Amino acid sequence: MTLKLGRILFLVLLVSVALRLALAVYYGDWVPPEHDDESYSALGERLSAGQGYSFESNWYPFTRPDHPTAFWSFAYPLFLGTFYRILGYQPLWPRLAQAILGGTLLPLMALRLSDRVFPRRNALGILVAGCVAFYAFFILYAARLLTETFYIIALLWSLERAIALTEGPSRGRAITLGLSLGLAALFRQSILPWVPVLFLWLLWKGWREGWLARAFRLLILAGLALFACILPFTIRNYAAYGQFLLLNSNTGYAMYSAQHPMHGISFIEHGAAPLPEDLVGQDLNEAQWDRLLMRRGIQLVLDDPGRYLLLSLSRVLDFFEFWPTDTSLLHNVGRLSSFTLFLPFFIYGIVLALRGAGPLRSGADWLRFSATPVAMILCFMAFYALLHILTWAMPRYRLPVDAVAMPFAALALSDLWSRLQRWRRRPAAA
């Protein structure tokens, strides 16, 4: 990277942090009630007081007072609790730290991913960092007491490490791949269904390039590093519930609530289904709730697959929502100045990337393309979107896809700028 580009990147990061700090100061110590912010903040406060992962009162959806909970991510309450322990219960302080870390690490990690996907294009990486820095939804959620910022950073890191592993297979890169996936899982376990798909892609890449056996060994190492991140909390869950629970206990309720008949065929993204009456009062722990509600959710699908299909189709609109809704003015402005504004560039950039991949006419062409980094991140975007469309969808859950799509938006902007420059030079040449 040249000195000029380095200075531009420094300025981008400076503005990125400043925008997020300004919004963090605006929110101050306010915690929106009846939102996930309140739950994470309450857990952080309990951790700071030595009460563990628990609530002092009945809590959504099935946690009893002073009982251990695994419903929420383990890493983020620990982040909040550290600040509350040292500085007292003042949400502003972790907000400020999150603004600085998110404003710096998120653009840098997006830049690193872009450099792996589109190598030898330093200016494009700077443009990606700028897009991330000014993307309004990333700014808004960096000031909220939510897992989004740190989860997306870890996700981008994992994708960058996966591509790095294919460029130079080594134990160090395999371990960092596993650690990045493990860190992402501790912020949101919805990354875990993607892990087998990613590992299969890496094995496919290894097979096509003649290092399949080595890829298999390295992925075992990456898997062990991932499991090492999760294992302490799996042990904690077994000690708390006397039953196996890999990480969080929210999967079953999400599946059950999202397919509940209360939705009909039109998904209510903020709707919370009531717990089954026959299970209430049975003194179930969270591991049991998770398992039983998952069965109920799957049964709802099997009982009426037609309704489930229509309900899932309605979630497409919830996931890709880009128009103003009945949310706050700040979030409506944020939506219009982020996803709504960037959507044409995402699409155009994907088209450019596919064109740049060479001819894709035959099956052999597509097989060759399938082993490229562009194919892998497109696969992630499709898989992650489908995962939420088939379960629980809302714009907030789309943010990781937005972040991964940023190299395509930058590619589109770069191409349009080049076309504009050529158009402006034509009259002079004439």
Side-chain angles (χ1 to χ4, degrees):
M1 183 180 295
T2 65
L3 180 61
K4 182 180 179 180
L5 289 178
R7 289 174 176 173
I8 295 174
L9 177 59
F10 177 77
L11 181 61
V12 166
L13 296 178
L14 195 64
V15 176
S16 175
V17 171
L19 290 171
R20 287 157 174 79
L21 283 175
L23 194 58
V25 172
Y26 170 76
Y27 279 134
D29 288 331
W30 175 70
V31 178
E34 298 182 0
H35 286 73
D36 288 356
D37 311 59
E38 184 182 27
S39 298
Y40 283 121
S41 186
L43 282 173
E45 189 176 14
R46 293 280 287 182
L47 284 169
S48 69
Q51 302 297 320
Y53 291 92
S54 65
F55 297 101
E56 64 179 355
S57 60
N58 287 315
W59 210 267
Y60 165 88
F62 42 57
T63 305
R64 292 173 291 173
D66 298 315
H67 279 65
T69 182
F71 192 84
W72 310 89
S73 87
F74 287 107
Y76 193 67
L78 192 60
F79 168 77
L80 296 177
T82 301
F83 282 90
Y84 294 165
R85 178 78 175 184
I86 298 173
L87 301 171
Y89 181 72
Q90 298 181 70
L92 174 61
W93 293 114
R95 274 199 171 102
L96 294 175
Q98 186 169 295
I100 295 171
L101 292 172
T104 305
L105 295 178
L106 190 54
L108 286 177
M109 202 57 67
L111 182 152
R112 290 193 61 175
L113 177 62
S114 177
D115 286 347
R116 296 289 184 188
V117 178
F118 302 112
R120 298 179 295 279
R121 299 186 63 170
N122 289 333
L124 185 67
I126 301 296
L127 189 55
V128 171
C131 290
V132 171
F134 290 96
Y135 198 72
F137 257 19
F138 294 157
I139 298 172
L140 286 171
Y141 280 95
R144 295 281 300 273
L145 300 181
L146 296 170
T147 63
E148 266 65 28
T149 296
F150 295 137
Y151 172 64
I152 294 172
I153 291 170
L155 167 66
L156 295 179
W157 183 31
S158 70
L159 297 177
E160 185 272 337
R161 289 290 83 195
I163 300 172
L165 186 64
T166 66
E167 295 174 354
S170 68
R171 292 181 180 179
R173 290 182 172 182
I175 292 173
T176 53
L177 171 61
L179 292 177
S180 62
L181 290 169
L183 183 61
L186 292 181
F187 281 109
R188 178 166 291 169
Q189 70 171 1
S190 57
I191 189 66
L192 292 177
W194 161 248
V195 174
V197 180
L198 176 61
F199 280 21
L200 284 174
W201 179 82
L202 288 167
L203 290 172
W204 168 249
K205 178 82 169 176
W207 180 78
R208 285 189 61 86
E209 298 182 356
W211 50 280
L212 177 60
R214 189 176 185 186
F216 187 78
R217 292 193 298 269
L218 291 175
L219 289 181
I220 291 177
L221 190 60
L224 290 174
L226 165 61
F227 187 64
C229 295
I230 297 175
L231 182 60
F233 298 98
T234 305
I235 295 173
R236 176 263 181 192
N237 288 340
Y238 190 83
Y241 308 123
Q243 295 176 325
F244 174 79
L245 178 62
L246 180 63
L247 197 55
N248 299 124
S249 59
N250 52 28
T251 307
Y253 180 76
M255 184 64 182
Y256 164 77
S257 182
Q259 322 316 326
H260 195 273
M262 73 175 190
H263 298 284
I265 59 172
S266 181
F267 185 64
I268 307 168
E269 62 182 64
H270 296 291
L275 296 173
E277 293 183 1
D278 61 308
L279 298 181
V280 176
Q282 291 192 22
D283 196 29
L284 301 174
N285 61 45
E286 290 200 4
Q288 293 169 323
W289 272 116
D290 185 59
R291 186 166 55 255
L292 292 174
L293 289 178
M294 176 58 75
R295 291 176 185 171
R296 297 288 177 97
I298 294 173
Q299 192 60 49
L300 288 172
V301 174
L302 297 177
D303 289 344
D304 196 346
R307 185 185 73 87
Y308 172 69
L309 177 60
L310 294 174
L311 183 59
S312 296
L313 288 174
S314 76
R315 281 192 284 257
V316 174
L317 297 179
D318 294 300
F319 192 75
F320 293 106
E321 188 176 85
F322 60 85
W323 51 90
T325 64
D326 57 356
T327 55
S328 67
L329 175 62
L330 184 61
H331 273 73
N332 274 323
V333 172
R335 181 182 297 110
L336 293 174
S337 57
S338 54
F339 186 65
T340 308
L341 179 64
F342 274 73
L343 182 57
F345 301 108
F346 290 151
I347 297 172
Y348 182 42
I350 291 172
V351 172
L352 288 175
L354 292 175
R355 286 181 178 176
L360 297 174
R361 300 186 183 93
S362 65
D365 291 336
W366 283 103
L367 287 176
R368 170 187 52 80
F369 172 71
S370 68
T372 64
V374 170
M376 187 269 283
I377 65 172
L378 286 175
C379 178
F380 167 80
M381 293 166 60
F383 178 87
Y384 201 79
L386 186 62
L387 176 68
H388 285 85
I389 288 169
L390 294 178
T391 53
W392 196 316
M394 60 174 60
R396 171 183 158 195
Y397 297 156
R398 195 201 59 243
L399 292 184
V401 177
D402 295 359
V404 174
M406 280 301 167
F408 298 117
L411 187 66
L413 291 170
S414 177
D415 179 77
L416 292 173
W417 176 255
S418 297
R419 290 176 181 272
L420 178 62
Q421 293 297 96
R422 290 196 297 269
W423 178 80
R424 291 177 61 183
R425 285 195 293 267
R426 284 179 182 175

